């Protein structure tokens, strides 16, 4: 295979990785907005959750796409990391790595792995019971159950601590991944780079912090 083909394949993988990252960022923002309503208005949270949980397009079109996007992003991340390690000169490992890249960018695979483990726990906590409730047990739908179910999940302090730690890792992952995703799809211009980096830093701090606030609210405040 020619060097040109190898380069093209590498670029294609990076673009695919970036597009899946941007897709997940959009989902993350939407997920945060919905969960924030549980802090503001339990009835509004129930209403939105009931719509999302019973809407045919959400359940049988958007949800499978989301699951595919998550799996694709993690698998592609491991593939890229493997390719990068294979192409990296051996002596690089003995050089001062911190002079070439930040700790976060050098350890994206580990923060991604931590987030992946958390997502698996999150699916077991919320998605699996929801699927069982609706499609296995076929329990009659109660449109007012969602706030109570969310609140119950955060009664245990260990689960709250786990969620908070996971969102710290998410913030670290986003801090590098946000700007990197935009650069990979060609949004790389001196006029906009500083603004994108600033927005990415704010996003990577604000979004995980708000998720942590939601978890703490349901443990310490909500009745």
């Amino acid at each position: 295979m020619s060097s040109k083909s190898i380069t093209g394949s590498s670029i294609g993988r990076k673009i695919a990785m970036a597009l899946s990252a941007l897709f997940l960022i959009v989902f993350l923002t939407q997920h945060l907005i919905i969960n924030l309503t549980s802090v503001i208005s339990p009835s509004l949270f129930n209403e939105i959750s009931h719509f999302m949980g019973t809407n045919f397009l959400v359940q049988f079109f958007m949800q499978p796409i989301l699951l595919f996007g998550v799996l694709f992003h993690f698998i592609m991340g491991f593939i890229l990391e493997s390719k990068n390690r294979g192409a990296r000169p051996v002596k690089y490992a003995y050089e001062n790595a911190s002079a070439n890249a930040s700790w976060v960018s050098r350890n994206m695979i580990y923060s991604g792995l931590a987030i992946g483990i958390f997502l698996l726990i999150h699916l077991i906590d919320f998605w699996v019971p929801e699927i069982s409730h609706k499609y296995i047990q076929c329990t009659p739908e109660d449109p007012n159950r969602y706030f109570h179910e969310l609140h119950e999940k955060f009664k245990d302090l260990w689960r709250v601590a786990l969620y908070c730690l996971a969102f710290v890792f998410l913030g670290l992952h986003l801090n590098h991944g946000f700007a990197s995703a935009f650069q990979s799809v060609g949004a790389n211009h001196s006029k906009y780079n500083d603004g994108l980096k600033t927005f990415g830093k704010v996003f990577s701090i604000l979004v995980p912090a708000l998720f942590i606030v939601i978890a703490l609210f349901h443990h310490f405040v909500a009745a």
Side-chain angles (χ1 to χ4, degrees):
M1 184 180 289
S2 68
S3 61
K4 184 176 180 181
S5 298
I6 294 172
T7 304
S9 178
S10 176
I11 292 173
R13 285 192 292 267
K14 287 181 180 179
I15 291 175
M17 181 69 173
L19 290 175
S20 66
L22 293 174
F23 167 74
L24 293 177
I25 285 172
V26 172
F27 163 75
L28 186 67
T29 304
Q30 173 254 329
H31 193 52
L32 172 63
I33 292 171
I34 293 175
N35 282 4
L36 274 175
T37 63
S38 71
V39 175
I40 300 167
S41 170
S43 60
L44 178 59
F45 176 75
N46 282 332
E47 185 178 342
I48 295 173
S49 298
H50 177 67
F51 170 79
M52 298 291 287
T54 56
N55 184 275
F56 178 85
L57 288 177
V58 172
Q59 293 296 298
F60 298 104
F61 180 68
M62 294 176 64
Q63 191 165 256
I65 290 177
L66 172 62
L67 290 173
F68 172 80
V70 171
L71 288 173
F72 180 87
H73 185 73
F74 278 97
I75 292 170
M76 188 59 66
F78 281 105
I79 291 174
L80 284 172
E81 179 66 14
S82 176
K83 296 286 184 182
N84 289 340
R85 288 182 183 273
R88 190 177 296 153
V90 175
K91 66 176 184 178
Y92 179 84
Y94 299 98
E95 294 175 353
N96 183 11
S98 61
N100 299 292
S102 67
W103 183 91
V104 174
S105 64
R106 287 183 284 112
N107 293 277
M108 287 288 281
I109 191 70
Y110 299 114
S111 61
L113 182 61
I115 296 167
I117 294 171
F118 163 72
L119 283 176
L120 180 61
I121 296 172
H122 186 65
L123 286 173
I124 294 171
D125 259 356
F126 289 94
W127 188 72
V128 172
E130 186 71 11
I131 294 299
S132 175
H133 176 87
K134 289 188 293 191
Y135 304 117
I136 298 176
Q137 300 175 14
C138 298
T139 307
E141 179 61 14
D142 176 9
N144 298 311
R145 67 183 171 88
Y146 298 94
F147 178 86
H148 174 73
E149 290 177 357
L150 177 65
H151 176 63
E152 287 295 311
K153 291 297 182 182
F154 291 111
K155 278 192 171 182
D156 296 325
L157 185 58
W158 69 265
R159 183 179 275 108
V160 175
L162 176 66
Y163 270 69
C164 291
L165 180 61
F167 286 121
V168 170
F169 276 109
L170 176 63
L172 293 173
H173 199 77
L174 285 171
N175 186 51
H176 173 73
F178 191 96
S180 179
F182 278 97
Q183 288 181 0
S184 294
V185 296
N188 188 16
H189 193 284
S190 57
K191 186 177 180 180
Y192 308 111
N193 281 349
D194 288 344
L196 273 176
K197 287 180 180 178
T198 300
F199 183 78
K201 287 184 181 298
V202 172
F203 186 90
S204 67
I205 294 172
L206 183 62
V207 169
L210 288 175
F211 272 114
I212 289 173
V213 166
I214 292 168
L216 295 176
F217 171 83
H218 282 282
H219 182 76
F220 291 108
V221 180

